[in-house]
Amino acid sequence: MPSQFGNQYSTNPKITLEQWRCLVAVVEGGGYAQAAERLHKSQSSVSYAVQKLESVLGVAAFTISGRKAVLTTAGDMLYRHARQLLEDASALELSARRASVGWESQISISVEVLFPMWLMLDCLALFGEESPQTRVEVYETVISGALEVLQKGKVDFAIDPRIPLAHNGELLPASPRVIPVAHPEHPLHQLNRTLTVNDLRNYRHLLVRDSNPQSDGKTLTVEVAKRWTLSNISSVIGAACKGHGFSWLPKDKILNELSEKSLKILPLQGGSERVVPMYLIYPNRDDIGPGARRLAEIIRQRLGELEANEQASP
């Protein structure tokens, strides 16, 4: 018996992906000439593709204002759906390629700077034993840096304490700890008492710059008048060791400095340790390749072992 919807989904599409690509290029390029340059086509072929699309659908996607093509209301709707269609088509092709060739030749991941890099290197070494031909690219991100690389599709997965909108994150074991520290001779230590947040506001705060160039510059730490923002965590550690200010730093990255007494934990009221949950975040879990999936599994297992060891320690 025929479906009540007739042949709605069996009819062959009348518009090709290339025509949709031309429409999107005109919108995002700002005109037919710019679209032709983007697509490496002649301007006449781009113009014809868009005109054919408009003719088949019976709508005007653009009006001409001076020398510029301006979207109509219907054109705006077509553009939004066309862009999604092209993204879906690209994702489908990527999934098909991954399925046909097996493990990826290259895997890219982003790792928040608070995550213990020594442990990540251990995981990469284990993965390298299983897949020595796979290249791995690691982005070390700060604050909202993972958001940028996830949105731009630069990474297969991210490890970060913040889950971007429209994404899900899997909580990982063995969350890193960050602690407030300063040089033992810093004025904060000379107060010889438990410190409050107000005490910290009177001194220079050392921070790592957000690795996302689109960031608004805000931080998730205490607000102070005096601040140095440096490009990497090694520089922050070095500045703190020289007595230039205080900072919240990952405990595992400053064990030597604590042992050598070039840094000392600040006795902060309410506790001098923060636990920072880390999440495993995929841009699209359905599209994750077998190599990236295996690397994520190794990281998860290694963190589980670390957590078990920590819990077993007296």
Side-chain angles (χ1 to χ4, degrees):
M1 181 177 178
S3 166
Q4 59 175 318
F5 298 107
N7 293 326
Q8 179 181 0
Y9 297 109
S10 61
T11 303
N12 291 328
K14 296 180 175 62
I15 309 299
T16 66
L17 279 178
E18 191 58 30
Q19 288 171 315
W20 288 122
R21 187 172 286 108
C22 288
L23 173 70
V24 170
V26 171
V27 175
E28 296 184 349
Y32 289 95
Q34 297 91 327
E37 185 176 350
R38 282 186 171 202
L39 299 174
H40 305 289
K41 292 177 174 289
S42 67
Q43 184 173 338
S44 60
S45 66
V46 173
S47 178
Y48 176 78
V50 174
Q51 289 172 5
K52 182 70 173 177
L53 179 152
E54 291 177 313
S55 174
V56 170
L57 296 179
V59 298
F62 298 98
T63 57
I64 303 300
S65 177
R67 294 186 175 183
K68 189 173 183 180
V70 180
L71 276 175
T72 63
T73 301
D76 182 62
M77 179 273 293
L78 291 176
Y79 163 68
R80 287 185 283 107
H81 285 284
R83 187 172 181 182
Q84 185 62 55
L85 177 64
L86 293 174
E87 289 177 358
D88 290 344
S90 295
L92 180 59
E93 290 175 3
L94 177 61
S95 297
R97 286 197 299 270
R98 284 175 170 169
S100 66
V101 302
W103 280 31
E104 308 90 309
S105 61
Q106 177 168 315
I107 294 169
S108 297
I109 65 174
S110 75
V111 182
E112 160 67 39
V113 70
L114 298 178
F115 189 87
M117 185 50 66
W118 63 267
L119 188 142
M120 177 56 65
L121 295 176
D122 286 352
C123 294
L124 293 179
L126 290 171
F127 177 76
E129 292 174 2
E130 297 184 18
S131 183
Q133 302 305 318
T134 301
R135 301 187 300 272
V136 181
E137 185 172 19
V138 179
Y139 294 87
E140 292 188 71
T141 57
V142 183
I143 307 178
S144 64
L147 173 62
E148 182 206 11
V149 293
L150 283 167
Q151 287 181 335
K152 291 185 176 180
K154 289 183 176 181
V155 295
D156 295 277
F157 63 81
I159 296 176
D160 203 79
R162 304 158 198 84
I163 304 174
L165 292 175
H167 290 77
N168 287 325
E170 173 191 342
L171 180 64
L172 292 170
S175 299
R177 270 71 170 164
V178 295
I179 53 177
V181 294
H183 188 276
E185 296 181 6
H186 189 279
L188 282 167
H189 283 300
Q190 307 314 308
L191 296 176
N192 294 318
R193 59 172 171 80
T194 301
L195 305 174
T196 66
V197 172
N198 284 333
D199 291 323
L200 301 183
R201 291 194 174 105
N202 295 321
Y203 299 94
R204 183 182 295 116
H205 192 189
L206 304 172
L207 301 167
V208 184
R209 180 176 293 108
D210 193 330
S211 59
N212 183 355
Q214 306 302 318
S215 167
D216 58 12
K218 294 180 180 178
T219 67
L220 301 179
T221 49
V222 62
E223 187 64 36
V224 295
K226 301 176 184 179
R227 178 187 303 164
W228 284 1
T229 303
L230 305 173
S231 294
N232 58 70
I233 199 164
S234 296
S235 297
V236 171
I237 293 172
C241 288
K242 288 183 176 294
H244 293 306
F246 74 91
S247 185
W248 286 86
L249 292 170
K251 190 173 182 178
D252 78 286
K253 295 184 187 295
I254 54 171
L255 293 177
N256 288 337
E257 288 77 7
L258 292 171
S259 174
E260 295 169 357
K261 297 184 171 28
S262 54
L263 288 178
K264 183 179 177 181
I265 299 174
L266 293 168
L268 197 60
Q269 188 178 66
S272 292
E273 184 174 275
R274 293 179 183 173
V275 176
V276 183
M278 287 285 170
Y279 298 90
L280 181 65
I281 307 163
Y282 297 106
N284 186 334
R285 198 179 188 102
D286 292 336
D287 284 341
I288 185 73
R293 192 182 302 277
R294 176 56 184 150
L295 177 56
E297 182 183 357
I298 290 173
I299 294 169
R300 193 184 299 110
Q301 290 174 344
R302 186 70 180 87
L303 286 170
E305 294 168 1
L306 179 63
E307 184 175 73
N309 291 336
E310 289 175 350
Q311 293 173 350
S313 299

